[in-house]
Amino acid sequence: MQNSTRKPIVAGNWKMNGNKPLIQLLEDSLATADLAHLEVVICPPFPYLGMFGGLNALGAQNMSQFDGGAHTGEIAASMLKECGCQYVILGHSERRAGHAETNDVVASKVKKALEADLTPILCVGETEEIRDSGNLFAFLAEQIDAVVQEIGVNEFSKLVLAYEPIWAIGTGKTASPAQAQEVHHFLREHLAKKNSDIAEKIRILYGGSVKGSNAKELFSQQDVDGGLIGGASLDPEDFLSICLAAKQ
Ligand code: 13P
């Protein structure tokens, strides 16, 4: 079912992939279609952020929880903003698992992003073990509540959520549309208990092996407001067909 108040987003997370030629190929592909009904966000590795021609919204894949100073190799929210970023992916499972990002670290990054006027794309998602153990919803609620505690629920009006089941990332094993809808509905209801208006308006993206071939069915679910795309965002044609699958 459609919801006219929530403009869909399709965001491409290149991860540590891509190269300069891909920027042009992707922009050429996206320029062939009318994509006014959605927001297209490209999140390339940091060095490429300044190389896009302005066709898309830009997002970073991570940022520091600090404002600046002696943090070699880190990048501050204010710097991303200066470089033209509007969005920043925070709490991606690859950051949580590979870079020791706890719920508290993620929450403080969300706060810093908002202070810099960036829109966080806050990722949550469970391992297969957590899903099988029956603790799925408690686990996801904890990931959300750590951020609510840090910034307050009203600030969620400035956030985008992404549900990315870890077992579906890069595995080719997509959540079924019903599985995605079940979790997206849970996330919206969880927020609705704190603020129903914000819960109704927040965009919740699905991520995990989305492709041109399965995007339409996933995006047609009532509480799925677009996608966070990994592998398929590196294929200009497939990425375009995912954008075209977003709700009109
Ligand atoms: P894949 O689309 O490659 O499964 O990756 C999803 C993801 O992690 C996007 O952030």
Side-chain angles (χ1 to χ4, degrees):
M1 203 194 274
Q2 294 185 7
N3 185 310
S4 55
T5 62
R6 298 196 297 264
K7 188 171 190 176
I9 298 178
V10 172
N13 176 9
W14 283 16
K15 308 191 180 183
M16 201 170 72
N17 298 300
N19 48 35
K20 270 171 81 173
L22 182 61
I23 297 169
Q24 194 62 49
L25 292 171
L26 189 66
E27 290 196 318
D28 288 349
S29 176
L30 293 173
T32 61
D34 179 2
L35 300 174
H37 64 289
L38 80 158
E39 284 179 54
V40 180
V41 184
I42 306 296
C43 306
F46 293 124
Y48 302 134
L49 281 169
M51 297 182 188
F52 281 79
L55 180 68
N56 322 286
L58 279 176
Q61 299 174 15
N62 176 39
M63 50 163 254
S64 171
Q65 69 265 46
F66 303 110
D67 290 325
H71 301 286
T72 301
E74 293 292 322
I75 293 179
S78 58
M79 298 167 186
L80 296 178
K81 189 71 188 173
E82 264 187 321
C83 291
C85 277
Q86 289 162 254
Y87 291 87
V88 58
I89 298 171
L90 293 175
H92 192 283
S93 57
E94 288 154 19
R95 300 285 324 167
R96 291 179 188 264
H99 301 269
E101 290 198 10
T102 61
N103 281 342
D104 287 347
V105 169
V106 173
S108 56
K109 289 188 176 194
V110 169
K111 187 163 189 243
K112 288 291 174 197
L114 291 174
E115 283 169 8
D117 201 21
L118 292 167
T119 301
I121 301 176
L122 170 63
C123 301
V124 298
E126 81 288 359
T127 59
E128 201 151 36
E129 291 69 35
I130 290 167
R131 178 169 273 265
D132 291 347
S133 73
N135 291 326
L136 170 62
F137 295 124
F139 178 82
L140 294 172
E142 212 174 305
Q143 290 189 321
I144 296 286
D145 288 347
V147 180
V148 174
Q149 213 166 8
E150 180 75 27
I151 62 170
V153 71
N154 290 348
E155 290 291 278
F156 273 63
S157 62
K158 301 174 191 162
L159 253 63
V160 173
L161 288 183
Y163 169 55
E164 296 207 315
I166 295 169
W167 47 270
I169 295 177
T171 58
K173 197 169 149 186
T174 321
S176 70
Q179 282 174 319
Q181 169 58 24
E182 182 187 30
V183 171
H184 284 226
H185 180 70
F186 165 77
L187 294 172
R188 207 179 292 288
E189 284 299 302
H190 185 69
L191 285 175
K193 286 186 206 142
K194 305 171 202 290
N195 184 317
S196 57
D197 188 46
I198 285 169
E200 180 57 29
K201 288 184 181 144
I202 197 165
R203 271 97 47 100
I204 309 178
L205 314 182
Y206 169 78
S209 298
V210 180
K211 298 177 184 54
S213 56
N214 59 24
K216 194 151 193 134
E217 221 191 329
L218 286 160
F219 295 171
S220 69
Q221 301 300 305
Q222 177 152 16
D223 290 297
V224 178
D225 305 309
L228 182 53
I229 318 303
S233 73
L234 302 165
D235 178 332
E237 262 181 51
D238 209 31
F239 188 66
L240 177 63
S241 64
I242 294 169
C243 291
L244 291 170
K247 287 171 192 157
Q248 293 275 354

